[in-house]
Amino acid sequence: MKAGTNMTIAGKIVYVLLLLTITMVMRSAGNNSSVLVMTVGNSSVLTCPLKGNITMLRWTITPKAGGLCTLVYRVDMNMTHRTTCSDNINWTFRAGLPPALEIRQVGIAQEGNYSCEFSSTEGNFHKMYHLTVLAPPRLSLSCDEQGSPVCEAAAGKPPAQLLWVPERSSTADEKCHDNGTVTVLSKFTACSTNVTNVTTCIVSHPAGNWSQTIACCPSEKINTNVFLYACSITCVLMIITLLAVIYYFKLHSDRSCHKTKPPEIAPIHSQQDDTMEVEPYTTYVQKENVIYNSVSDLTVGQNLPQNLCPGT
């Protein structure tokens, strides 16, 4: 409510300053100065208060944007001349009267001073117009991600005033453009998030007044955001848990594979095995000795030479 009140006060200040500026300009120029207010896209015809029989008519235009424009009409030669003027500014001819200046579909670029000078049999005269161009803003009303109504009055000149019904706290931002227009953006702060909020945005501007109504559902949007947030957290936790399990099993398997092998036990060489290996040789020697002794006894018994064997 406070923000809406501040906007109303600011709008009134702008209007007062505009009126004071117009008044000061009119006083400085005297009675020969007039203020002309036009809306973008409209057309108008400017005339001079002619006196007597004119011989020459001249318009000098000094716009806020662009160069100087001049249009000259010579009565004696019935000739017109123009320099560096836009296409929507030209002469318009009337039956039995000198030509007048016509502005077709005025734009912001045509805002400025329009000076008329003419010479007649009664002398030289001068007339000044101060043209102010109004640009009506483009109204748009929508709901943001949090379910709050957002009202925008785009490219208005002067800046528009935005009011909410019902009146609640709101924030307004202004963005100035290079062509002199201003976009006003206001966000309505809803009081309840459990019910549908039906709000109306009212745009007040010198070129006219407009309004739009919208119904936003903050609860649905908030619940949706909470649900998406919970799903995201759950997915992240599941992924972390899965990675922890995989890491645990991998670490456990690596430890099992890297266990040290038990040392190989060298075979015990027992004395019994040595005895078993020696016994065949001993038995063989014993047998040889027995045979040798038998042969010796037989030789001695037969008185044979020891180097001869029986039957050989």
Side-chain angles (χ1 to χ4, degrees), residues 1 19 32-33 42 51 67 81 88 98 105-106 118 158 178 184 186 216 221 224 228 230 260 275 282 294 301 306 311:
M1 184 174 181
L19 291 175
N32 291 329
S33 179
N42 291 346
K51 298 180 180 180
H81 177 72
N88 60 336
Q105 296 187 0
V106 67
F118 64 94
D178 295 337
V184 182
S186 179
C216 297
K221 293 182 177 293
T224 302
L228 293 176
T260 57
T275 305
T282 305
S294 298
Q306 293 183 358

Tab-separated table of all heavy atoms in Angstrom, residues 1 19 32-33 42 51 67 81 88 98 105-106 118 158 178 184 186 216 221 224 228 230 260 275 282 294 301 306 311:
chain	number	residue	atom	x	y	z
A	1	MET	N	0.842	-1.202	0.000
A	1	MET	CA	0.000	0.000	0.000
A	1	MET	C	0.875	1.248	0.000
A	1	MET	O	0.577	2.234	-0.652
A	1	MET	CB	-0.919	-0.029	1.202
A	1	MET	CG	-1.914	1.140	1.267
A	1	MET	SD	-3.080	0.934	2.616
A	1	MET	CE	-4.072	2.396	2.391
A	19	LEU	N	3.450	20.785	-16.060
A	19	LEU	CA	2.632	21.995	-16.200
A	19	LEU	C	3.468	23.246	-15.935
A	19	LEU	O	3.302	24.276	-16.627
A	19	LEU	CB	1.453	21.935	-15.233
A	19	LEU	CG	0.379	20.871	-15.546
A	19	LEU	CD1	-0.671	20.834	-14.441
A	19	LEU	CD2	-0.275	21.157	-16.887
A	32	ASN	N	2.384	34.621	-28.440
A	32	ASN	CA	2.559	33.977	-29.742
A	32	ASN	C	3.023	32.532	-29.612
A	32	ASN	O	3.423	31.923	-30.596
A	32	ASN	CB	3.568	34.761	-30.575
A	32	ASN	CG	3.023	36.113	-31.009
A	32	ASN	OD1	1.812	36.264	-31.204
A	32	ASN	ND2	3.906	37.099	-31.137
A	33	SER	N	3.023	31.959	-28.397
A	33	SER	CA	3.469	30.586	-28.174
A	33	SER	C	2.293	29.735	-27.727
A	33	SER	O	1.470	30.169	-26.909
A	33	SER	CB	4.579	30.546	-27.124
A	33	SER	OG	4.983	29.222	-26.901
A	42	ASN	N	-0.988	9.798	-34.130
A	42	ASN	CA	-2.022	10.744	-34.548
A	42	ASN	C	-1.467	11.749	-35.556
A	42	ASN	O	-0.259	11.876	-35.742
A	42	ASN	CB	-2.598	11.491	-33.342
A	42	ASN	CG	-3.411	10.568	-32.443
A	42	ASN	OD1	-3.752	9.454	-32.836
A	42	ASN	ND2	-3.704	11.031	-31.243
A	51	LYS	N	-2.349	37.574	-41.379
A	51	LYS	CA	-2.923	38.922	-41.402
A	51	LYS	C	-2.531	39.594	-42.704
A	51	LYS	O	-1.361	39.644	-43.054
A	51	LYS	CB	-2.412	39.749	-40.217
A	51	LYS	CG	-2.797	39.192	-38.859
A	51	LYS	CD	-2.245	40.063	-37.744
A	51	LYS	CE	-2.621	39.517	-36.374
A	51	LYS	NZ	-2.078	40.364	-35.278
A	67	GLY	N	18.101	16.817	-37.283
A	67	GLY	CA	18.548	18.147	-37.682
A	67	GLY	C	17.411	19.118	-37.924
A	67	GLY	O	16.225	18.784	-37.836
A	81	HIS	N	9.499	25.077	-51.028
A	81	HIS	CA	10.848	24.530	-50.901
A	81	HIS	C	10.997	23.938	-49.492
A	81	HIS	O	10.499	24.494	-48.513
A	81	HIS	CB	11.887	25.636	-51.114
A	81	HIS	CG	13.301	25.169	-50.922
A	81	HIS	ND1	13.940	24.345	-51.819
A	81	HIS	CD2	14.191	25.409	-49.910
A	81	HIS	CE1	15.162	24.095	-51.397
A	81	HIS	NE2	15.350	24.741	-50.237
A	88	ASN	N	6.953	12.488	-42.984
A	88	ASN	CA	5.601	12.697	-42.434
A	88	ASN	C	5.313	14.170	-42.103
A	88	ASN	O	4.282	14.480	-41.512
A	88	ASN	CB	5.399	11.840	-41.184
A	88	ASN	CG	6.393	12.171	-40.076
A	88	ASN	OD1	7.470	12.685	-40.345
A	88	ASN	ND2	6.024	11.869	-38.844
A	98	PRO	N	-3.488	30.056	-47.871
A	98	PRO	CA	-2.095	29.630	-47.993
A	98	PRO	C	-1.918	28.219	-47.409
A	98	PRO	O	-2.729	27.753	-46.596
A	98	PRO	CB	-1.325	30.679	-47.188
A	98	PRO	CG	-2.250	31.846	-47.097
A	98	PRO	CD	-3.635	31.279	-47.072
A	105	GLN	N	0.874	10.994	-38.641
A	105	GLN	CA	1.326	9.900	-37.774
A	105	GLN	C	2.609	10.306	-37.037
A	105	GLN	O	3.690	9.789	-37.284
A	105	GLN	CB	1.549	8.615	-38.583
A	105	GLN	CG	0.278	8.085	-39.200
A	105	GLN	CD	0.480	6.728	-39.862
A	105	GLN	OE1	1.580	6.168	-39.872
A	105	GLN	NE2	-0.588	6.180	-40.406
A	106	VAL	N	2.421	11.223	-36.124
A	106	VAL	CA	3.552	11.784	-35.396
A	106	VAL	C	4.263	10.704	-34.570
A	106	VAL	O	3.641	9.757	-34.083
A	106	VAL	CB	3.068	12.933	-34.480
A	106	VAL	CG1	2.180	12.401	-33.367
A	106	VAL	CG2	4.254	13.691	-33.900
A	118	PHE	N	5.868	34.718	-41.192
A	118	PHE	CA	5.295	35.127	-42.489
A	118	PHE	C	5.396	36.649	-42.631
A	118	PHE	O	5.432	37.398	-41.655
A	118	PHE	CB	3.834	34.668	-42.625
A	118	PHE	CG	2.904	35.275	-41.643
A	118	PHE	CD1	2.177	36.431	-41.975
A	118	PHE	CD2	2.719	34.709	-40.386
A	118	PHE	CE1	1.300	36.994	-41.071
A	118	PHE	CE2	1.840	35.275	-39.494
A	118	PHE	CZ	1.127	36.406	-39.822
A	158	PRO	N	5.051	10.156	-20.761
A	158	PRO	CA	5.935	9.949	-19.614
A	158	PRO	C	5.677	8.600	-18.941
A	158	PRO	O	4.793	7.862	-19.386
A	158	PRO	CB	5.556	11.119	-18.691
A	158	PRO	CG	4.121	11.381	-19.015
A	158	PRO	CD	3.981	11.140	-20.478
A	178	ASP	N	16.450	4.616	-24.862
A	178	ASP	CA	17.169	5.687	-25.569
A	178	ASP	C	16.228	6.693	-26.229
A	178	ASP	O	16.596	7.862	-26.413
A	178	ASP	CB	18.097	5.081	-26.630
A	178	ASP	CG	19.208	4.257	-26.009
A	178	ASP	OD1	19.536	4.499	-24.828
A	178	ASP	OD2	19.747	3.365	-26.701
A	184	VAL	N	7.770	0.568	-16.908
A	184	VAL	CA	7.531	0.430	-15.473
A	184	VAL	C	7.072	-0.997	-15.205
A	184	VAL	O	6.141	-1.494	-15.860
A	184	VAL	CB	6.478	1.433	-14.971
A	184	VAL	CG1	6.278	1.298	-13.459
A	184	VAL	CG2	6.895	2.857	-15.320
A	186	SER	N	5.876	-3.613	-12.096
A	186	SER	CA	5.415	-3.688	-10.712
A	186	SER	C	5.040	-5.127	-10.381
A	186	SER	O	4.359	-5.800	-11.167
A	186	SER	CB	4.216	-2.764	-10.484
A	186	SER	OG	3.746	-2.863	-9.141
A	216	CYS	N	-3.811	-15.671	-10.137
A	216	CYS	CA	-2.612	-16.493	-9.964
A	216	CYS	C	-2.824	-17.462	-8.809
A	216	CYS	O	-3.546	-17.158	-7.858
A	216	CYS	CB	-1.393	-15.621	-9.694
A	216	CYS	SG	-0.983	-14.505	-11.063
A	221	LYS	N	1.982	-23.481	-7.540
A	221	LYS	CA	3.346	-23.298	-8.021
A	221	LYS	C	4.351	-23.622	-6.935
A	221	LYS	O	5.382	-24.236	-7.180
A	221	LYS	CB	3.533	-21.857	-8.518
A	221	LYS	CG	2.718	-21.551	-9.757
A	221	LYS	CD	2.971	-20.150	-10.237
A	221	LYS	CE	2.204	-19.884	-11.529
A	221	LYS	NZ	2.706	-20.669	-12.645
A	224	THR	N	4.520	-27.384	-6.486
A	224	THR	CA	5.261	-27.969	-7.600
A	224	THR	C	6.759	-27.766	-7.420
A	224	THR	O	7.559	-28.692	-7.625
A	224	THR	CB	4.803	-27.337	-8.925
A	224	THR	OG1	3.399	-27.545	-9.084
A	224	THR	CG2	5.539	-27.962	-10.094
A	228	LEU	N	9.512	-30.774	-6.956
A	228	LEU	CA	10.687	-30.900	-7.812
A	228	LEU	C	11.967	-30.840	-6.987
A	228	LEU	O	12.931	-31.575	-7.258
A	228	LEU	CB	10.681	-29.780	-8.858
A	228	LEU	CG	9.559	-29.849	-9.909
A	228	LEU	CD1	9.622	-28.620	-10.810
A	228	LEU	CD2	9.669	-31.119	-10.740
A	230	ALA	N	12.294	-31.767	-3.824
A	230	ALA	CA	12.423	-33.015	-3.081
A	230	ALA	C	12.898	-34.151	-3.985
A	230	ALA	O	13.732	-34.973	-3.586
A	230	ALA	CB	11.085	-33.370	-2.438
A	260	THR	N	48.813	-61.543	1.656
A	260	THR	CA	50.097	-62.235	1.441
A	260	THR	C	49.900	-63.734	1.460
A	260	THR	O	49.133	-64.275	2.276
A	260	THR	CB	51.076	-61.828	2.537
A	260	THR	OG1	50.505	-62.143	3.803
A	260	THR	CG2	51.398	-60.340	2.481
A	275	THR	N	68.291	-93.546	5.207
A	275	THR	CA	68.533	-94.972	5.487
A	275	THR	C	67.973	-95.841	4.388
A	275	THR	O	68.595	-96.800	3.921
A	275	THR	CB	67.927	-95.354	6.832
A	275	THR	OG1	68.448	-94.492	7.833
A	275	THR	CG2	68.241	-96.806	7.184
A	282	THR	N	73.676	-101.219	0.530
A	282	THR	CA	74.215	-102.128	1.538
A	282	THR	C	73.827	-103.563	1.254
A	282	THR	O	74.635	-104.498	1.360
A	282	THR	CB	73.721	-101.706	2.914
A	282	THR	OG1	74.057	-100.337	3.135
A	282	THR	CG2	74.344	-102.565	4.009
A	294	SER	N	81.539	-117.526	-1.089
A	294	SER	CA	81.169	-118.879	-1.547
A	294	SER	C	82.145	-119.350	-2.579
A	294	SER	O	82.584	-120.532	-2.581
A	294	SER	CB	79.755	-118.850	-2.119
A	294	SER	OG	78.842	-118.463	-1.129
A	301	GLY	N	88.431	-125.570	-1.416
A	301	GLY	CA	88.069	-126.974	-1.237
A	301	GLY	C	88.576	-127.807	-2.372
A	301	GLY	O	88.883	-128.989	-2.204
A	306	GLN	N	92.760	-119.698	-7.552
A	306	GLN	CA	91.665	-118.758	-7.183
A	306	GLN	C	91.172	-118.009	-8.384
A	306	GLN	O	90.046	-117.533	-8.385
A	306	GLN	CB	92.132	-117.785	-6.114
A	306	GLN	CG	92.404	-118.451	-4.818
A	306	GLN	CD	92.800	-117.456	-3.727
A	306	GLN	OE1	92.900	-116.288	-4.004
A	306	GLN	NE2	93.022	-117.991	-2.524
A	311	GLY	N	83.950	-124.958	-14.197
A	311	GLY	CA	83.104	-124.985	-15.402
A	311	GLY	C	83.490	-123.953	-16.392
A	311	GLY	O	82.792	-123.769	-17.381
